[in-house]
Each structure stands twice: as C-alpha cells, then as structure tokens.
Amino acid sequence: MRMDLATSPGSPERPNEDWASVSLPASGRGGSLVVLDGVTPPEGDYGCVHPVAWFTARLGGALLELSTSRPDTALAGILSTAIRRTADAHRDTCDLSHVRTPQATVVLVRWGGAADPVEHLVLADSTLLIEEPGGKVRAVVDDRVDRLPRDARRSHAGTDALRNAEGGFFTAAADPAVAERALTGSTPGSRVRSVAALTDGAARWVDMFGAGDWARCLGVLREEGAERLLERVRELETSGAPARSAVLRWKLHDDATAVFAELG
C-alpha cells in the first residue's frame, strides 16, 4: 500500500483552509482517507469567532476518528455525527445559523480487507477518483455548484441564496442532516486499484485548464507524485493559460490538496 499527500496554500498571506489525512490502523487491515476544502467567506461577518481552518481541522479530525472507530456505521452517518460534534464545539460562542458559518467540502473514503468494499462519500465540489485494476478511472463529482445559474455564481448574495438550500448546493456546515445530501456508494475491493481525492484547487488541472483527463491526472499522481501535480497547476495559473470558464477563475490561486492511495 502506497500513500502520497501534498497541499499548497493559495496565498502565503492566508492560512491554508484545506485539510487532509489518511488513517491506517495498526492492525494493517483497512483504512480511511479524508479531504476537506474549507469555504472561504467573503470579507465581513460570518457569525463565527473561529477561522475556517479551525473548522476544517475539527471536522476532519472527527471524520478520521469516527470512520475508523465505527466501521459498521455508514459514511453518511459518520459525516452527520462529525458535523454535530464540530457544531457542539462552538455553538455557545457562534451563530451557527449564519449562511456563511464555517463550512467545507468533503471527500471521505473507507476500505477494509481485500474482500471488503471500498466505500465513498463526496459532498460539494471536491473530486474523488477511483481506478480499477485495468486502469479505467471513474470520477465521483458533486456538480451541483456547476449547475447553479451563471448569474447566481457571479455574486456572493446570489450564491448565498442557494447555499445549503433546495435547488442549490450543499456543504458540511452546522446541520447534520446535510449528510443525507452527499453522494455515497461502494465498490468491491477487488475492483479498486487506487483512489485519489482532490480539492478544487488541485482539480483545476483537469476542469479549469483541460491539461488532461481524470485518467491522466491520476497517472501524474502515480508517476510524478501529488506535489508535482500541484506544481503543474501553479505553472498553468501563473502562465496565464486560458480557463475553460471565466466564472471558474474568480481568483488566480486557490488552496490545493491532492491525496493518492494505492490500495491494490
């Protein structure tokens, strides 16, 4: 089993709001992978005294612990409990009803022995890649953000009106019920060679710049490493390479994280 993880802040002047970790129990059987992308709020009040990085660290730590300590609990249940635990940690000091209360995208993967399924959960616009032994790569993408009306995505107010709302998109914030909105599934362990998780800052290599497809992206992770994929993204950003959509490129750099796990 081989693991590779790299992260890069979007700006040296701001904390990296991504969070990622991999857990491999001492028994050597199974493990879990967690990748979060904290949602940077616009300037101004967001009802919380804590920075987004505090939130992602709390939520990520809870997800990692629960996904390994409760193997019989479905991943949606794990996310629900982790959100509730994190909310309890600051509900006495913060307004958790604020639409911009700290929140994050989620990729959560859990695997057991070779005969066990590989389970996954994806919420909001981070990407999960699942590679079969023959090399075929499937991307699990929650595209509800991409399906928002273009006008709504051009303003903070328009996006806020559709945040964690029917007809809009969902993130892990303070409501445990949002876990039921996540994309979940499982794949027989014998059909999974590797998995990879990318925050949208890393997924830009494919979905913003079109430098390759998801299969080639996973190939870069295997052959060159997670850090090199992030370097490739930064090179494209600073070169002025055209983006597929002007809406996507509202900031030059974003926090970028990539995790690769070779399971088979």
Side-chain angles (χ1 to χ4, degrees):
M1 185 175 292
R2 180 166 68 94
M3 307 290 170
D4 189 18
L5 184 158
T7 189
S8 169
S11 167
E13 300 173 357
R14 294 181 58 89
N16 189 338
E17 295 168 340
D18 287 357
W19 192 94
S21 188
V22 177
S23 173
L24 299 174
S27 66
R29 181 179 180 275
S32 64
L33 176 158
V34 181
V35 172
L36 307 180
D37 182 355
V39 178
T40 305
E43 292 296 327
D45 177 58
Y46 55 94
C48 187
V49 301
H50 302 99
V52 174
W54 175 93
F55 173 82
T56 53
R58 287 276 182 150
L59 181 63
L63 287 168
L64 195 68
E65 185 268 308
L66 291 167
S67 61
T68 53
S69 67
R70 302 186 184 182
D72 296 327
T73 301
L75 294 187
I78 296 295
L79 177 58
S80 178
T81 301
I83 291 173
R84 181 179 295 107
R85 180 184 291 182
T86 304
D88 287 346
H90 67 138
R91 69 172 69 255
D92 292 339
T93 57
C94 306
D95 176 12
L96 303 189
S97 68
H98 197 293
V99 70
R100 295 176 185 166
T101 190
Q103 52 204 269
T105 74
V106 181
V107 175
L108 175 59
V109 184
R110 180 172 62 187
W111 59 93
D116 298 320
V118 177
E119 306 165 81
H120 70 263
L121 178 150
V122 176
L123 182 67
D125 60 351
S126 290
T127 300
L128 170 66
L129 304 179
I130 302 173
E131 182 191 24
E132 297 182 1
K136 182 179 179 180
V137 175
R138 172 166 59 100
V140 181
V141 181
D142 180 354
D143 65 353
R144 282 172 285 199
V145 172
D146 295 332
R147 290 189 272 118
L148 296 179
R150 182 176 290 266
D151 289 345
R153 297 176 67 194
R154 290 187 182 278
S155 71
H156 295 310
T159 302
D160 284 347
L162 295 170
R163 187 185 304 278
N164 289 316
E166 291 294 339
F169 66 103
F170 298 90
T171 60
D175 181 7
V178 79
E180 297 302 322
R181 304 286 189 165
L183 307 182
T184 59
S186 65
T187 307
S190 61
R191 290 176 49 197
V192 180
R193 179 186 180 190
S194 69
V195 295
L198 310 169
T199 60
D200 62 346
R204 286 181 170 198
W205 194 77
V206 174
D207 58 24
M208 178 180 285
F209 296 110
D213 59 14
W214 293 121
R216 181 60 192 135
C217 181
L218 193 139
V220 171
L221 288 169
R222 170 178 284 112
E223 297 159 15
E224 302 180 33
E227 185 172 1
R228 179 55 187 149
L229 175 66
L230 303 191
E231 290 173 349
R232 283 172 171 254
V233 172
R234 298 300 186 224
E235 289 165 2
L236 288 165
E237 291 169 339
T238 56
S239 72
R244 288 181 170 182
S245 169
V247 173
L248 285 170
R249 197 168 186 177
W250 65 276
K251 51 186 175 181
L252 177 61
H253 303 296
D254 194 6
D255 296 341
T257 298
V259 181
F260 173 76
E262 187 118 43
L263 306 184

